[in-house]
Amino acid sequence: MNFVIVLLALLGSVWLLAVVEGWTTTGRLRPAAPLLSGLAHLGRESIVPRTPDRVFFETAPVLLLIVAVLGAAVLPLAPTLVIADLATGALFINAALAYVLVALIMAGWGPNGAYAMIGGWRFLGQLIAYAMLIVMPITAVAMRAESLVTTVIVGSQDGLWNIVYQPLGFVLFFIAAMALAFRAPFDLPTAPGELGGGVDAEYTGVRLGVLRLARLTLVITLASATTVFYLGGWHGPLLPPWAWSLIKTLAVAVSMLLAGRYLPRIREADLMRWCWTLGIPLALLNIIVVGLLVLVVP
Amino acid sequence: MTSDPTMSITGARQRQERFTVLQKWVSRALAGNLSCLIVPGPEVALSHGLDVTAAGMRITATPRDASVLLIIGELSEKMNEAVAVLYAQMPRPRAIVNLGGQTPSTLPDADFSAGVSQAGLIDAVDWLKRALAKGAFSDSPEDFDAPVLHARIEYVCPMHPEVVQNEPGSCPKCGMDLVAREAGEPAPEHDHGHDHREHRHHEHEHQHHEHEHQHHDHAQQHEHHEHEHDHGHCHDHHDSHEHDHEQHEGHQHSHENHHDHGHKHQHDESDGDAEEKNSGHDHSEHGHDSHEHGGHDHVGHGHSGHDHGGHDHGASGFMSMIEVTKDLPRSADGLAMDWMEVPFGPVFPGLPGGLKLTLTLDGDGVTEGQATSLVGMINESEEGKEIDAETFIERLASAMPLASVSYRLLACLAIERAAGLENDSATDQARAVALECERIASHLGWLAQTGRQLGFAWLTDRAATLQLEIRRASGKRLVELTPALQALAARLGRTPLLKSRLKGIGVLPSGTAGLSGPVARAADDAGDAWARLWQRLDEIITSLDYIKATGEPGLPVLRNIGRGSGTGEATVETPRGEAQLSLILEHGQVKSYRLDTACSHHIGLVAKLVEGRELGDALVAVGSLDLSPWEVIS
């Protein structure tokens, strides 16, 4: 039952996000647009490039979608509304998201095209840059909760959300999440102006539809993770817990979306340098500060 | 044409009887989701005052994502070929809309044609919506075919490279089945050729599939041959080429394969010597032999993807990376990698349409690159071929869509001087204001283009909106737009990441000769992309001040020159730099002319600017020059 509800919530959020995305790009609010565009993807020819690596080419979009859903499976919408309340939930989400990289490399390698391949390898190049900034802030979150269980993590923020308790961790996690979701301004693997679509470049029709759905789902999953780890999850007055979770998740997702609109794409070298030389030390500092707080504050 | 909207047969998709109801809904969805690839590029649409988004079409970055090919104006011969390749890559259902020009000979007839105007564009969208809703699926769609998509296929023995023939068969020496390859590919290397062989076998066995297929191509890069697949086992060009020839009965092993092959990228070149060009290029085998082909001709990527994926070399033993890469050229960081020659353009979202940038990539670093224009004007001063002065002006202005006012002015001035007319201060002033208006519009067009390149959607939208407004505005209205333009500049100054993206990129060595326009003026400063951005923003404000102080713009119109004769020379500071025109006028006819433009010189800087840079930086550097390929004179 939880599975169905969470899945529906995920789909609903994706739909809302797509409506907002359409709104920001075209200026018109068209609730049916995402459905129509999905249907249009069905109608378009789904071309297979010449001499593809067929397995990689076919698997990548589906894998990306599965990864996003798997990640969402451990994120609670309400105290009991979670697909799998794993004892290692916070670790599991890391493990699931690691496959985003795999999916992108497959999408880059599969179609046998230069633009796509460069896009895939670019993402691999960024691995440590963003992955450390996902893992290390989560470490600090788990330290405060003294647990890896996601519901316990939300519980630990009762009264004081982590965004206040460890703002540095929030900022780092938020940026890293955008990089992991390869949304603008971190859209280096797709980069229309540089790679003509990159890893997306060779997908058409149904496959492109799946890929786009997967990308939006990934944004929602990461926004939901941000909510759970930093924004107090379901905590909030008046409204029922699940509503708070959804509102916060959508707010985070939309802000990720909007940020890209007003910023130019980051230089690859800058992303690496800033993440390595600034991000990782800051993440360590965050862990130390949180550690001290946990020890000192009763 | 508008009465009965029907999709052309090369654009429609095969109807599937089983899904009739679904197809009806899908057709409607398709009609509501028009996305277009603009040829030559969105900047040309803008400079013609076309607002594609407002007309109801989304502008896409790639042919893969487009359902409409929107062609604006006349295209050059070279562009025609590139366009055929682009069309071939578009998934069906697809349509061609042609505004203000002939449909390129390489393409099927346009589904809709009109003049270059917003009304024409709106009609086109309306027509497309009805046509798609009705005829997105057809019972008898046809393949698109064009000579530019063809390449020759020959058959070679995997063990005996000297055995090459035009027909499939078995090797006279060892009896093995011959392997298909594109003419010009090097022979498969033994250890790794295995994989290829298997595939070919496979295909020979499966030659009849009934589903749709077509040859797709990729103008921009690695042009693959693609086909709709429903079966899992059609993966190769050989196979698909069978499909392509279904119409030609009994033509199963045609040696003309339509394909568009990534690691070949010669297809978007027009010179028709595709086969010869292939020869320099190592196909697939992990870089073996690439050094024999003169450096970095190695684009192994094309097939190596296949080979790696095929995981077939496992059986033939351990593949040492050191072995494989020992003869490859070293990059700056000392690593040996496959070097790929990748074309960017002539229709590429990050570059102005008509400009083709060929970069040799080492990973995502650029080892060398060069830019060519596929739409540049030719300095034709043929003896005895006289052009009417008015026609000459129109022709020059329409040949330069990104700066038509400047070149109109240039032609008027040169002709008037040749005819010996005195300057008229009132006319000069109105013309100067028109020129400044165009400068503002042109710089805004560049900003929109930069926004597209940098994925900075807000900038693209804002600059494009302002550009369209300025095109329509009178002098008075222009002055009212001043705060908006100042706000744009201020906003860019505050935008995070922008400075780090542009600062220090595309630095011109001091003392570079042949610069003019904003590029030259910014060279005195830091000479990088950031300086050029600010130079252009400053010029926008300066031009506005000039307009404010001077008055209304007046489009340059040729004054009465009668049947004057003489030689005339004029120089105009166009938005991209100085343009110089000298011509000989005889009895009111232009007998010969000579044109020199800033972009003709600036395009030569590209090689220096991209060398050794990371791909993204190289593209920013090229973009910052604001090259107009139309203004590259050959």
Side-chain angles (χ1 to χ4, degrees), chain B residues 460-543:
Chain B
T460 302
D461 290 353
R462 188 74 192 126
T465 311
L466 285 169
Q467 191 187 353
L468 287 170
E469 279 210 41
I470 280 173
R471 264 187 56 90
R472 298 180 197 126
S474 62
K476 211 168 143 216
R477 173 83 186 108
L478 272 175
V479 174
E480 286 169 20
L481 284 172
T482 311
L485 289 163
Q486 279 165 338
L488 176 69
R491 177 69 173 267
L492 290 180
R494 288 195 308 267
T495 302
L497 300 179
L498 188 61
K499 188 171 180 182
S500 71
R501 186 74 219 239
L502 300 178
K503 191 85 188 150
I505 305 299
V507 180
L508 289 169
S510 58
T512 308
L515 300 182
S516 83
V519 176
R521 291 188 282 272
D524 302 335
D525 199 359
D528 58 5
W530 179 245
R532 272 167 234 146
L533 168 73
W534 284 98
Q535 179 61 38
R536 293 194 179 99
L537 289 171
D538 287 348
E539 285 181 15
I540 289 178
I541 304 301
T542 316
S543 296

Side-chain angles (χ1 to χ4, degrees), chain A residues 43-45 47-50 53-54 112-115 117 192 194 196 201-202 207 212 261 265 267-268, chain B residues 13 62 64-65 92 182 214 220-222 224-226 228-229 237 261 301-302 309 343 364 454 461 617:
Chain A
R44 294 212 178 96
E45 199 174 19
I47 298 165
V48 178
R50 208 175 83 131
D53 186 313
R54 198 55 183 271
N112 198 1
Y115 294 166
M117 189 189 65
E194 292 172 25
E202 300 298 328
R207 294 185 185 88
R212 290 202 169 146
R261 195 173 158 70
R265 187 175 308 117
R267 270 184 76 207
E268 197 186 10
Chain B
R13 214 184 154 186
T62 66
R64 293 288 190 226
D65 197 16
R92 295 164 182 242
E182 280 160 37
Q214 58 214 91
Q220 306 169 337
Q221 38 160 27
H222 54 266
H224 297 294
H225 181 133
E226 284 111 15
E228 162 105 347
H229 85 100
H237 56 284
H261 201 8
H301 168 60
D364 73 350
L454 298 180
D461 290 353
D617 293 347

Side-chain angles (χ1 to χ4, degrees), chain B residues 55-234:
Chain B
M57 278 197 284
R58 191 165 55 87
I59 300 174
T60 68
T62 66
R64 293 288 190 226
D65 197 16
S67 55
V68 179
L69 187 67
L70 177 60
I71 303 171
I72 298 173
E74 292 287 348
L75 298 181
S76 68
E77 198 58 34
K78 287 181 185 175
M79 279 301 278
N80 283 351
E81 302 206 352
V83 167
V85 173
L86 288 172
Y87 181 67
Q89 290 172 81
M90 289 167 55
R92 295 164 182 242
R94 57 191 172 182
I96 302 171
V97 170
N98 195 338
L99 297 184
Q102 299 279 318
T103 309
S105 53
T106 47
L107 286 183
D109 285 339
D111 292 272
F112 189 89
S113 304
V116 188
S117 68
Q118 187 69 17
L121 186 62
I122 288 167
D123 285 348
V125 171
D126 181 53
W127 186 92
L128 285 167
K129 284 192 167 160
R130 283 185 292 141
L132 269 171
K134 196 173 135 247
F137 296 89
S138 157
D139 291 324
S140 52
E142 225 172 63
D143 282 325
F144 167 60
D145 192 10
V148 65
L149 306 176
H150 291 207
R152 201 165 59 84
I153 285 294
E154 61 189 16
Y155 295 84
V156 62
C157 174
M159 303 303 289
H160 301 97
E162 66 278 13
V163 176
V164 180
Q165 61 185 52
N166 288 336
E167 304 288 328
S170 47
C171 175
K173 295 193 178 170
C174 61
M176 284 174 77
D177 281 342
L178 298 184
V179 168
R181 71 170 186 200
E182 280 160 37
E185 277 175 31
E189 198 270 338
H190 289 189
D191 286 356
H192 307 294
H194 181 52
D195 180 45
H196 266 265
R197 208 153 59 228
E198 280 212 337
H199 265 281
R200 261 69 189 209
H201 271 305
H202 193 53
E203 292 147 20
H204 285 264
E205 284 153 23
H206 297 278
Q207 280 168 1
H208 39 214
H209 308 297
E210 318 143 1
H211 35 268
E212 296 178 15
H213 56 275
Q214 58 214 91
H215 13 285
H216 281 266
D217 204 331
H218 223 291
Q220 306 169 337
Q221 38 160 27
H222 54 266
E223 309 80 306
H224 297 294
H225 181 133
E226 284 111 15
H227 48 95
E228 162 105 347
H229 85 100
D230 289 307
H231 288 219
H233 50 244
C234 29

Side-chain angles (χ1 to χ4, degrees), chain A residues 58-193:
Chain A
E58 301 285 5
T59 313
V62 182
L63 179 63
L64 194 61
L65 186 60
I66 291 174
V67 167
V69 174
L70 271 183
V74 295
L75 297 168
L77 282 176
T80 54
L81 196 54
V82 53
I83 295 178
D85 199 12
L86 294 183
T88 53
L91 199 62
F92 177 85
I93 192 163
N94 276 308
L97 293 175
Y99 283 88
V100 173
L101 172 68
V102 178
L104 280 206
I105 289 187
M106 287 167 93
W109 186 256
N112 198 1
Y115 294 166
M117 189 189 65
I118 294 169
W121 291 138
R122 270 184 169 189
F123 200 63
L124 175 62
Q126 296 161 25
L127 171 67
I128 308 244
Y130 66 77
M132 290 312 284
L133 297 188
I134 295 277
V135 177
M136 292 167 77
I138 291 182
T139 309
V141 168
M143 280 163 64
R144 183 186 177 201
E146 296 180 10
S147 168
L148 288 170
V149 183
T150 46
T151 44
V152 176
I153 286 175
V154 176
S156 76
Q157 299 175 64
D158 192 12
L160 187 64
W161 296 357
N162 272 337
I163 189 173
V164 183
Y165 191 87
Q166 34 187 310
L168 186 56
F170 168 75
V171 172
L172 293 173
F173 184 84
F174 184 79
I175 292 172
M178 276 172 74
L180 178 56
F182 55 107
R183 298 296 313 200
F186 301 99
D187 57 344
L188 290 158
T190 49

